[in-house]
Structures are given as C-alpha cells and as structure tokens.
Amino acid sequence: MKICIVGGVAGGASAATRLRRLDEKAEIILFEKGEHISYANCGLPYYLGGTIRHRDSLIVTKPELLCKRFRVDVRIRNEVLSINRQEKKIVVRDLTSGTDYEETYDKLILSPGASPKIPPLPGMDSDGVFTLRNVTDTYRIDDYLLENKPAAAVVVGGGFIGVEMAENLVDRGLSVTLVEYADQVIASLDPEMANILHRHLSEHGVNLMLGTGITGISHGSHGLRAGLTSGEEVPAGLILLCMGVAPDSRLAKDAGLDLGLNGSIAVNEYYETSDPDIYAVGDAISVTHLVGRTETLVPLAGPANKQGRAAAENALKGRKLKRSPVQGSSVLKVFDLTAASTGLNEKQLRQMDLPYKKTYVHPQSHASYYPGASPISMKMLFGDDGHILGAQAVGAEGVEKRIDVLAAVIRLGGTVYDLEQLELCYAPPYSSAKDPVNMLGYTASNILNGDMPVFYAEEVSSLDAQTATLLDVSTTDEILMGTIPGFQNIPLDTLRENLNRLDPGKPVYVTCRVGLRGYLATRMLLLNGFRAFNLSGGYRTYSLTGSYKVPAPVGLQKPQSIPSTPVSSAVTTPDADAAGKPVPSMKLLTVDACGLQCPGPIMKVSENMKSLKEGENLCVQATDPAFASDIDVWCQRTGNRLIRTSCEKGIYSVVLQKGGTSVQAAQCDTSSAGDDKTMIIFSQDLDKAIASFIIANGAAAMDRKVTMFFTFWGLNILRRPHKVSLKKNFMEKMFSGMMPRGSQKLKLSHMQMGGIGARLIRKLMKDKNVASLEELIASAQQNGVRIVACQMSMDLMGIHREELLDGVEVGGVATFLGSAETSDTNLFI
C-alpha cells in the first residue's frame, strides 16, 4: 500500500512512524514544504530568550533519521499544491528546483497544521514585523535581533505564544509591551486566575495593555510604531504578531472535501474526511470536547500526536480506532509562575448553558514547614452530581502535577468525592498529608452536602449591610493589608466570645484571607444557630476579581544580596530604596516566612517589628506574591516604611524600616508630601460635575493623587446611561427611577430653561473645544484619578454596583478619610 502524508511535525511525523511500525512493506512518502519535519515548536520562544542555546536542540527528528530508521521517503521543501481525488493523485512542487510533478496514493493523510492570523491592516508586511510558527520563523527573528539589536518590542496577542515571547524577549534584554484586545491574557483561564499572571507580568517589567487592539504599523524616525485602538502609538524595534492561528484547509477545500468549524477540515470519528481514502489530523481539524461534547479547535501538540497515530492505524489496517475527545489540558511558564488548566472554564460553561458550581483554594505546594513551599491558587468547576468540569491553577511550583491528576480524573469520569479519597504521593518536600487535589475534593464535597454554604466574590457588591452581617475573621494585622469594604472584623480566635455581637436574625457572610478560617467560622456559626456563608477563596480571590488595572511601579527589583537563611541574621541594607533615594547603611534583621500560610507572613512582620528600634530594618522573605504587594498598604497604615521589594525564583524579599519618619524626612523630597487632592461630590448638577472633573484632571496632570468621593445625588453622575436589568424592591425602584441615569441626563444648577440650558452649555463647550463631561470622566480614569461611590448612599438610593460606570470603586467614609489624611486640598461640591 502506498500512503502519502502532507505535513510533518506532530501529526504527520507520528503517522509516518506508526505506519512503519505496523507494516514493513508499505510505501510511505512524507511531504513537508518547510525544511524541518519534526521540531520542538513549543520550545521556539525559549531559544529566542536564550534558555535553549543551540539551534540543533530545536530539531527533534532529522529527515535522514526518518529515512534510515523508518524507511520513510521524506521530501522536505516539497509543497503539495492540489489533490485529484478521482485519479488519486497529488500535484507537488519541488521548491528547490521550482518544478511540479505528480504522485499517486492509495491513502492520503493530511496534516497541514494551522497558519498564523495576520489582520488586513496597514504595515503588517513591514521589515521588523514577524509571526512565530516554525523553526524558520525563529531563525529569522533571531537573526534580526542579532543584526539590529532593537531596544523595545511590541507583542500583539496575549495567548500562549504571546505571553511566552513577552517573557523571553524580556530575558533577551528588550523592553516589552504586550497588547491584548481582550481584557485578559490566556483565554483558557478565567479572569480572576489570569489576573495573577497580569500582576506577575507587570512586576517583571512587561508593559501590559489589555482591552487594546492594533490598528496598523507605521515607520517613524526611530523605527516601527504600532498604532493602537486607544489612540496611542507605541514605538518598537521589533513587532511580533501572536494573534492566534487558523486551520490550514486550503488543500481540502480546493479538493472539494467537506469543511467544519471555522473552516477546519471535517472528519468523522475515524479521522476520515468526506473522501474515505483521505484522512486528516492535527491543527487543521476540529475535535470534540470531552466535557462539553461540542466541536472545538485545540491546536496542541499532544492531541495531534495521538491523532496521527490513530489515523495511521485506520488507513493501513482498517482498525477503525475512534477519535478520542480532547479536554484541552495545557500548561504555561510565565517568569517564576506556572499556569495550567484542563476541561472547561467558567466562561465556556456559561456559553454552553451548562449548570455548575465552583470552589477556590490557595494551598501550599508542599508541607509549609519544609523550606521553599509556595502558594498555589486553584479553581475547580463541578456539576451538581459531583463530576468535575474543569480546573485551573497558578503558582510557582507543583501546579502542573495537580492539574495532571485532575485531568486524569476527568478523563476517567471521576467526581469530587473521588478527589477526597485519592491516595497521592506524600513527603514534606513534595506535598502535604492533605494534597491540594484532596483539598479541592473536600471543599467541593462540603459545598454539595451543605456543610459549607458559600458565596462568591462577584456577589459581594450585592450584599446589603442592613439586612446581613458582613464579617471578616482575619487577624487585626491582616486587616491592615486590606479587607472588603463594609465587612466588620472579629478575629476567628475571638469569635465564640463575641457571638452576642451578631444578630441571629441576619445571615452572616464570612471571609478571611484564603477561605480556610472562613470555613471554620462558618461551621462555628452554623452550629450555634446562625445562617452563615463562607466566601470561597477568601479575600485573596476577591482581590483578583474585576478588570485588571496596571499598577504603578512598586520597586520590584532583582535581589541585592539578601541572604535566604531560615534564621534571623543581620546584614547591611541596600543603599537605595524603591524610589532610588539613598538609604543609610545600617543593620537589618532577616526572617524567613517562606511557605507560611495566612496569617503567617504578616504575623512574622508584626512580631519582629516589635523587637526593632525606630529606624532599624527588617527583611522578610516570603513565597506569597499577595503578601509582597499588600505589605505596602500595611506600612502606610502602621507608619512604617517600605524600602524595597525584590523577587527571584518565586521568593519575594521585602525590606521594611520601622517608623522611618525621621529618616525619611531627612532624605526624601518633601515637596510632594501631603499634596494629594480629595473631593466630595454631593451634587448632580451638570455644571458642578464638569467643574469637579476639570479640577481633578488638572491635579492629575500635576502628578497629584486625586480621590473623588461621590455621595447621594452625586452618584447619578456615575450611573450608566442605559437601564441595567436588576431585581429591586419598591423603594429602590422608586428612587432610582426618579433620578437622572448618567451624565447625559444631568441638568444645570441655574438657567435650566426646561432642559435647553444643559444642551446650550454642551454646545458652547464643543464650540470652544472644551472636553465634554463624558470625555472628562474618561480622561480622569485614564490619568489614574480614583473614583469612589459611597456604599451607604447607594444602599439608601437603590443604586447597585452594576449600574455604575466601569472602573468605579465602591467604598465607605473610611476610604475617603484615608485619602483625605494625605491631602492638602479637600473640596465639597
């Protein structure tokens, strides 16, 4: 039998070798239009970053080996142009000689792969603009980098290749901007999980621009410029398009074969196309998802490899091996973090209208008392019957092995109850007696059997402090690092003696840092006759929800020779703080909080700070990224000083100074101290709203921190212009219905004239080139003005969070007063 294969790499090469293992006499011809038939396509970014040093390392199997060991007729740089199904012939072009020839076949296996998506926009074919799909692309990019030595790069697209290339270009020494049209990177993750990666990318210097697309590429005086939907132009010496791939089905289409999802090649359960003598595998075909049982595209090497093997058996032996559904298991390295997922995510389940429940846990990668433990943030989705629908995890180590276990359980039809009983390898350097996978099973089972009623971060905004008790059982020190607005604090260990402070007639919504102590508090409350609910994942998950906002630089740097000893020690402090200002040389105490779970790290800080004298320094090493970012808030609220935050291989080193006021005053530029601006906007008058935002934008332009606190009628300025479908009681409906919905409906304080006045002032502003109120609001948000809506006023006036503009915070009086304390200007409008 003569079998021709179009395309190598995962699908085609695995089909060729399987064919030979099944039949010594079959004539096997493999056509590949490129120079390489089997290469490590997943390793291409790491060659460009320098991790993989030698070009030969990218080549998995050379044509000579396939010819000699498997007796396969390998023809590289030979492109199949067309298929004559009636005569069972293909037309091939030898790209080296430029000549065309025909080849017959008994069976034909198509493995053409997929092609990078390139939008039809100006400048996409410019020098310095690349896509990355194969080894040839990699060499071209490498040569360009060596020859031109660009200082900056723009990566368009936040999928796997885009994020990997952002990291590797940073490792190569380039300044990198990552542009993604969606509001998150890595679509297989849900937003709150992706936000962990967003923070980590920003910490490592990637300029992350989410919700932003590319409009074209132009040449400036200093190189390329990427035009963006935001109106900005980003200069770069290199632009890499990583906007996804599309199935390469041209051959099949021209041959009259049936096409499927998004132009992919349609195949039956045996990988047969609409022509029974032609098979198709790999990125060019659609597949059935194991969980959702829907057709989808999964351009991954693992499934393609298995498909090539099965198609070979069916084509040669007629064994009728059925195609296996896929579950999209994937893993990604992002600097010091690993992200992995399997099955469906929450977005997909909603799109398919499949009911589900979910749970979050944030366990340590191994026993916390063994050095080097680090947190893993995990999310699992499951059905009412306990069957697992999908899982996601992000952490520094041990991530992929947990997702691998969950992938196997999903493949075998297991449930959350099986996770409770899984007997997994345990020793302190590798795991805990209760493995994170077991923890997912325990929490999910508790939800299903009613032992742990839960609520979720996205529900917090709808909670009413008048009709429910909102309770945070974290320690007092943890509260200083942040808590959910409106939640009162009773630490878990004092809860029993304070139960009389809670109204037994109200449901109690409980949170802690990661959900574990919240669970204990919830059980305590339930057993004492309260209705109680635990926030799944605790404050950590809550802090990850919502759209990601790129933070201001916080001084994350490479470590400055800070020791990693597990005991306290004294060393000399770095000679500059996070802002680059000099720090006097003095001794500092170093303590190890690596592997500690909440509230361990902050307790270490609090405990050791008490032993220091004013002006002395403390270095705390921790593996919790959230601690590294939250400690800045703790310092501000306790009067201490954050000197430096550094990170290496997932270990964060935070240097603090006790007090710090006197030393800081002597060495810091005090001209900017206390010059923040705060405003209370009480009015809903159009002219007053315009004046407020003009002042706010002006202050922001002077690099001042501005907080605008909207209360009572001022809330109407922040309302969305369209009606939002929400359940409201009679009073809420009455209040919100009588008030103006958004800035377009506001009236003037004087000269209203039946609505003509407002229209007149808007026309005058336009004629005089003055920005409209809506433009002023948008500019304020872009300039970092903090816009806060008063929770109490919202409750009284029947306004829900969902009715407010994107980017508006919800807070209370304490939020405003916290900003007012550092302000030299406080306005009431």
Side-chain angles (χ1 to χ4, degrees):
M1 180 178 288
K2 182 177 181 180
I3 302 174
C4 293
I5 304 170
V6 181
V9 200
S14 65
T17 54
R18 183 60 177 167
L19 285 167
R20 179 56 69 216
R21 291 195 297 270
L22 292 173
D23 191 330
E24 266 292 299
K25 296 181 180 180
E27 183 180 358
I28 307 168
I29 307 176
L30 175 62
F31 300 92
E32 170 57 53
K33 67 180 178 181
E35 297 181 8
H36 309 282
I37 56 163
S38 183
Y39 54 86
N41 52 347
C42 295
L44 303 182
Y46 300 101
Y47 172 77
L48 290 170
T51 302
I52 299 173
R53 297 183 180 275
H54 303 292
R55 289 190 171 187
D56 285 349
S57 300
L58 297 174
I59 308 304
V60 176
T61 304
K62 294 183 178 180
E64 298 79 13
L65 177 63
L66 217 60
C67 293
K68 185 174 182 180
R69 182 173 297 174
F70 294 96
R71 205 158 50 86
V72 174
D73 182 357
V74 179
R75 303 181 188 179
I76 60 173
R77 291 191 52 76
N78 275 245
E79 180 180 7
V80 177
L81 301 178
S82 62
I83 304 170
N84 185 332
R85 292 166 51 195
Q86 289 71 31
E87 298 182 19
K88 300 183 76 169
K89 292 180 180 179
I90 55 176
V91 176
V92 186
R93 175 167 296 166
D94 185 329
L95 298 178
T96 302
S97 66
T99 59
D100 295 350
Y101 64 95
E102 290 185 341
E103 194 68 62
T104 61
Y105 66 85
D106 294 314
K107 299 288 184 180
L108 182 64
I109 298 177
L110 302 179
S111 181
S115 303
K117 292 181 179 177
I118 302 176
L121 297 171
M124 294 293 134
D125 57 351
S126 302
D127 289 339
V129 179
F130 298 93
T131 59
L132 179 62
R133 187 62 180 167
N134 53 41
V135 174
T136 302
D137 293 338
T138 306
Y139 293 166
R140 288 175 56 239
I141 296 171
D142 188 42
D143 292 341
Y144 183 87
L145 289 169
L146 292 170
E147 182 178 345
N148 295 276
K149 295 180 172 56
V154 172
V155 178
V156 184
F160 286 89
I161 296 297
V163 171
E164 288 174 346
M165 279 306 304
E167 173 186 350
N168 281 281
L169 289 172
V170 168
D171 287 346
R172 186 112 178 198
L174 279 73
S175 172
V176 177
T177 295
L178 178 58
V179 177
E180 169 54 52
Y181 189 72
D183 59 1
Q184 67 166 87
V185 300
I186 311 301
S188 59
L189 300 177
D190 283 318
E192 69 277 21
M193 302 298 288
N195 276 340
I196 304 172
L197 302 184
H198 297 159
R199 179 176 62 194
H200 197 63
L201 286 163
S202 297
E203 287 176 345
H204 283 78
V206 176
N207 177 24
L208 192 58
M209 303 184 72
L210 301 174
T212 305
I214 188 168
T215 58
I217 297 171
S218 59
H219 286 272
S221 56
H222 299 288
L224 298 170
R225 302 185 70 85
L228 306 178
T229 54
S230 62
E232 299 174 72
E233 284 192 341
V234 180
L238 176 143
I239 296 177
L240 189 63
L241 304 178
C242 303
M243 306 173 72
V245 296
D248 188 350
S249 55
R250 179 194 59 81
L251 264 180
K253 181 180 179 182
D254 292 347
L257 297 176
D258 291 346
L259 300 183
L261 180 68
N262 292 345
S264 60
I265 304 172
V267 295
N268 64 14
E269 57 186 340
Y270 306 113
Y271 300 105
E272 295 173 345
T273 67
S274 51
D275 185 326
D277 291 322
I278 302 177
Y279 296 77
V281 297
D283 297 354
I285 70 170
S286 64
V287 292
T288 301
H289 200 284
L290 176 68
V291 179
R293 296 294 170 181
T294 57
E295 286 296 299
T296 186
L297 299 175
V298 180
L300 296 174
N305 227 305
K306 298 176 182 66
Q307 293 160 13
R309 177 187 175 95
E313 297 205 17
N314 291 341
L316 187 63
K317 295 293 185 181
R319 291 185 176 179
K320 295 298 182 182
L321 292 181
K322 291 187 177 181
R323 66 173 181 163
S324 178
V326 303
Q327 56 198 90
S329 300
S330 59
V331 65
L332 170 75
K333 176 184 178 295
V334 185
F335 292 102
D336 299 321
L337 292 183
T338 299
S341 64
T342 187
L344 297 174
N345 59 34
E346 198 169 350
K347 300 187 295 287
Q348 293 168 322
L349 288 168
R350 287 197 299 265
Q351 290 167 359
M352 297 177 186
D353 201 26
L354 294 175
Y356 65 91
K357 289 179 168 56
K358 60 181 175 178
T359 186
Y360 297 90
V361 296
H362 301 277
Q364 297 296 301
S365 57
H366 59 247
S368 58
Y369 58 82
Y370 187 89
S374 58
I376 306 176
S377 292
M378 305 181 74
K379 175 181 183 178
M380 185 173 70
L381 303 155
F382 54 96
D384 290 336
D385 58 359
H387 278 93
I388 304 166
L389 305 176
Q392 304 160 45
V394 181
E397 66 171 27
V399 170
E400 72 288 348
K401 81 171 184 177
R402 270 65 189 222
I403 292 298
D404 282 342
V405 171
L406 291 164
V409 174
I410 292 174
R411 174 67 60 174
L412 298 175
T415 68
V416 300
Y417 308 112
D418 294 317
L419 299 185
E420 293 182 288
Q421 304 303 323
L422 281 182
E423 186 177 340
L424 303 172
C425 296
Y426 163 59
Y430 305 105
S431 184
S432 301
K434 293 179 181 177
D435 189 86
V437 172
N438 298 133
M439 295 299 295
L440 283 173
Y442 294 139
T443 58
S445 298
N446 283 339
I447 291 171
L448 288 174
N449 63 30
D451 285 346
M452 186 179 70
V454 292
F455 68 109
Y456 298 104
E458 61 268 26
E459 301 175 53
V460 169
S461 61
S462 64
L463 298 179
D464 186 350
Q466 302 300 315
T467 59
T469 299
L470 310 182
L471 181 63
D472 190 331
V473 296
S474 305
T475 65
T476 304
D477 281 325
E478 288 176 304
I479 294 296
L480 292 175
M481 292 198 298
T483 186
I484 303 174
F487 277 62
Q488 61 175 299
N489 177 224
I490 303 178
L492 174 64
D493 294 337
T494 66
L495 181 57
R496 281 190 180 89
E497 51 265 40
N498 284 285
L499 290 177
N500 60 330
R501 292 172 53 186
L502 307 180
D503 185 345
K506 292 182 178 180
V508 185
Y509 292 88
V510 185
T511 186
C512 64
R513 304 313 285 182
V514 297
L516 178 57
R517 283 169 292 160
Y519 163 61
L520 298 177
T522 300
R523 291 303 304 158
M524 187 187 304
L525 290 164
L526 290 170
L527 294 173
N528 279 279
F530 290 84
R531 284 186 299 137
F533 304 85
N534 183 35
L535 176 60
S536 183
Y539 179 78
R540 180 169 298 177
T541 296
Y542 171 83
S543 67
L544 295 170
T545 56
S547 297
Y548 178 76
K549 296 179 181 178
V550 178
V554 294
L556 187 66
Q557 302 172 16
K558 291 291 183 183
Q560 301 287 322
S561 301
I562 297 173
S564 57
T565 58
V567 295
S568 299
S569 59
V571 298
T572 302
T573 61
D575 59 2
D577 65 9
K581 295 184 173 63
V583 175
S585 178
M586 61 178 64
K587 300 295 183 180
L588 92 148
L589 187 68
T590 300
V591 297
D592 185 4
C594 292
L596 292 184
Q597 301 185 52
C598 290
I602 192 61
M603 289 178 65
K604 283 273 190 181
V605 172
S606 181
E607 172 189 342
N608 284 278
M609 272 292 190
K610 293 174 183 176
S611 68
L612 297 180
K613 297 178 182 178
E614 188 84 7
E616 290 185 334
N617 294 343
L618 174 71
C619 174
V620 181
Q621 295 177 323
T623 48
D624 185 353
F627 166 75
S629 58
D630 290 345
I631 194 65
D632 186 24
V633 179
W634 183 88
C635 287
Q636 294 175 29
R637 296 185 179 184
T638 57
N640 296 298
R641 180 186 179 195
L642 175 62
I643 294 177
R644 183 183 300 276
T645 303
S646 58
C647 179
E648 185 174 46
K649 295 182 179 179
I651 297 178
Y652 290 80
S653 296
V654 176
V655 181
L656 315 172
Q657 184 180 78
K658 184 167 183 176
T661 305
S662 58
V663 176
Q664 195 170 10
Q667 297 171 351
C668 294
D669 178 7
T670 58
S671 63
S672 61
D675 59 3
D676 297 351
K677 315 297 177 189
T678 51
M679 305 163 66
I680 297 176
I681 295 87
F682 182 85
S683 171
Q684 66 182 24
D685 293 333
L686 174 63
D687 42 341
K688 296 175 183 177
I690 292 170
S692 301
F693 277 98
I694 289 175
I695 295 170
N697 277 295
M702 296 171 64
D703 291 328
R704 303 299 189 248
K705 293 182 179 179
V706 183
T707 299
M708 304 178 75
F709 188 72
F710 291 78
T711 185
F712 283 95
W713 315 116
L715 289 171
N716 294 313
I717 302 170
L718 305 180
R719 294 180 73 185
R720 295 180 185 271
H722 57 274
K723 186 175 182 180
V724 178
S725 179
L726 293 168
K727 290 184 179 180
K728 293 187 176 185
N729 59 39
F730 173 75
M731 292 298 292
E732 288 178 330
K733 289 180 180 178
M734 183 182 71
F735 257 102
S736 59
M738 291 190 297
M739 294 185 297
R741 184 179 288 116
S743 58
Q744 293 282 358
K745 301 291 185 180
L746 303 183
K747 300 177 180 179
L748 288 178
S749 59
H750 298 285
M751 298 177 63
Q752 173 56 23
M753 298 181 293
I756 297 175
R759 292 197 295 271
L760 179 60
I761 194 66
R762 285 182 178 273
K763 183 179 185 305
L764 287 171
M765 291 172 68
K766 184 177 180 180
D767 292 343
K768 298 292 184 180
N769 242 353
V770 178
S772 67
L773 175 56
E774 294 72 34
E775 292 170 330
L776 289 168
I777 294 173
S779 295
Q781 291 180 313
Q782 292 172 4
N783 292 331
V785 172
R786 189 182 183 194
I787 300 176
V788 183
C790 176
Q791 179 71 69
M792 181 272 293
S793 298
M794 290 171 61
D795 292 340
L796 290 177
M797 303 177 74
I799 297 176
H800 293 222
R801 179 190 285 266
E802 292 85 352
E803 297 179 88
L804 301 181
L805 299 172
D806 290 335
V808 173
E809 296 180 43
V810 175
V813 174
T815 302
F816 169 75
L817 292 176
S819 298
E821 287 178 352
T822 60
S823 298
D824 62 0
T825 303
N826 295 287
L827 302 178
F828 185 91
I829 299 176

